[in-house]
Amino acid sequence: MRLLVVEDEHKTGNYLQQGLTEAGFQVSLARNGLDGHHLAMTEDFDLIVLDVMLPDVDGWRILQSLREAARQTPVLFLTARDSVEDRVKGLELGADDYLVKPFAFAELLARVRTLLRRGSVPVQSDQLSVADLMLDMPKRRATRDGKKIQLSQKEFALLELLVRREGEVLTRSLIASQVWDMNFDSDTNVIDVAIRRLRAKIDDGFEPKLIHTVRGMGYKLDAEANDE
Ligand code: CA
């Protein structure tokens, strides 16, 4: 499996190259956006790990060029910017997943493996849907069975995460880091409360139930599952 890592920070670049090589991948490292852009557009990789903040050609440009050229290489982007908007932008430009810096290498490796297993599924649609739940991404609106559901910004972000990872069990700490930019190692109650509230809006009065508790692990969104 060939991976391209585009990362201008010397230490991070070396660390990623070394770690991924040790994990058995063939890794090309581009230390600036121009080289990254060139490699991404001319060579075939199974996956690209793309830093967004690059001094010359930034990660968004690279991602945009790739998708405009209909190159569907899965892209995992790295962002230091702790904002939901930033992540939404990346996903709307056609990235497949993201990690917020700083991240644990083990988490990056797990994401890389998941994406490679999944193959290149473009996430460019303006609409995400599971059963009769629809998310209108540009308008940040959700409907179920055609009925509009009022969600706060956080609730929408939480629902988006669950939908994008449909069928996967998401731990509370993963949800906390992806939606709240925080580590809730101690206070996972926040997540439980948010999920309960979201669940009431999404599932009360509708069938099938979409949001499920996986005991001892976390939550998942699945149209075909039952609560354990
Ligand atoms: Ca950077």
Side-chain angles (χ1 to χ4, degrees):
M1 290 276 187
R2 291 193 70 201
L3 306 190
L4 171 64
V5 174
V6 186
E7 172 59 83
D8 63 307
E9 288 149 35
H10 214 81
K11 248 175 81 179
T12 313
N14 288 347
Y15 164 77
L16 289 176
Q17 186 175 37
Q18 193 190 337
L20 290 167
T21 303
E22 282 168 7
F25 298 105
Q26 202 182 321
V27 183
S28 301
L29 174 63
R31 295 197 185 272
N32 59 62
L34 208 60
D35 288 351
H37 189 268
H38 178 73
L39 284 170
M41 295 299 285
T42 56
E43 294 192 22
D44 286 324
F45 295 96
D46 295 295
L47 183 137
I48 300 173
V49 177
L50 182 63
D51 182 32
V52 168
M53 295 286 281
L54 299 164
D56 46 1
V57 180
D58 72 20
W60 301 139
R61 269 283 305 284
I62 297 176
L63 181 54
Q64 210 166 4
S65 299
L66 266 178
R67 297 310 185 229
E68 276 169 13
R71 294 177 78 93
Q72 299 300 345
T73 319
V75 170
L76 170 71
F77 72 90
L78 308 176
T79 175
R81 286 185 259 183
D82 255 355
S83 75
V84 174
E85 289 73 22
D86 215 45
R87 294 171 218 175
V88 169
K89 180 178 178 181
L91 295 169
E92 281 178 359
L93 282 174
D96 300 88
D97 204 353
Y98 57 83
L99 273 176
V100 176
K101 288 179 173 180
F103 51 82
F105 182 76
E107 165 120 52
L108 177 112
L109 190 57
R111 299 292 186 85
V112 163
R113 288 189 168 139
T114 300
L115 286 176
L116 288 171
R117 261 201 311 274
R118 200 188 290 167
S120 55
V121 181
V123 198
Q124 277 165 311
S125 168
D126 281 353
Q127 300 268 358
L128 296 176
S129 67
V130 175
D132 58 358
L133 172 71
M134 303 273 282
L135 269 63
D136 181 325
M137 297 312 297
K139 292 186 183 145
R140 316 284 297 156
R141 264 193 218 147
T143 58
R144 184 134 195 216
D145 193 22
K147 297 178 192 83
K148 199 175 159 200
I149 296 166
Q150 286 294 350
L151 297 175
S152 70
Q153 216 188 338
K154 283 289 180 213
E155 286 168 343
F156 190 90
L158 176 58
L159 183 59
E160 182 193 348
L161 176 69
L162 286 162
V163 169
R164 287 197 189 273
R165 302 219 167 180
E166 182 192 348
E168 282 179 51
V169 180
L170 305 180
T171 62
R172 289 174 180 80
S173 62
L174 181 127
I175 293 171
S177 69
Q178 301 282 319
V179 179
W180 278 267
D181 304 326
M182 286 157 94
N183 294 314
F184 277 95
D185 285 339
S186 46
D187 193 10
T188 53
N189 191 36
V190 175
I191 309 299
D192 296 334
V193 170
I195 289 274
R196 203 177 309 141
R197 206 173 290 154
L198 181 64
R199 217 171 182 172
K201 293 183 178 184
I202 297 299
D203 281 340
D204 280 5
F206 297 103
E207 290 295 337
K209 304 300 178 202
L210 296 177
I211 299 173
H212 302 277
T213 306
V214 182
R215 198 178 299 160
M217 294 180 72
Y219 296 99
K220 72 174 173 179
L221 187 140
D222 194 330
E224 277 146 35
N226 293 311
D227 276 333
E228 291 168 26

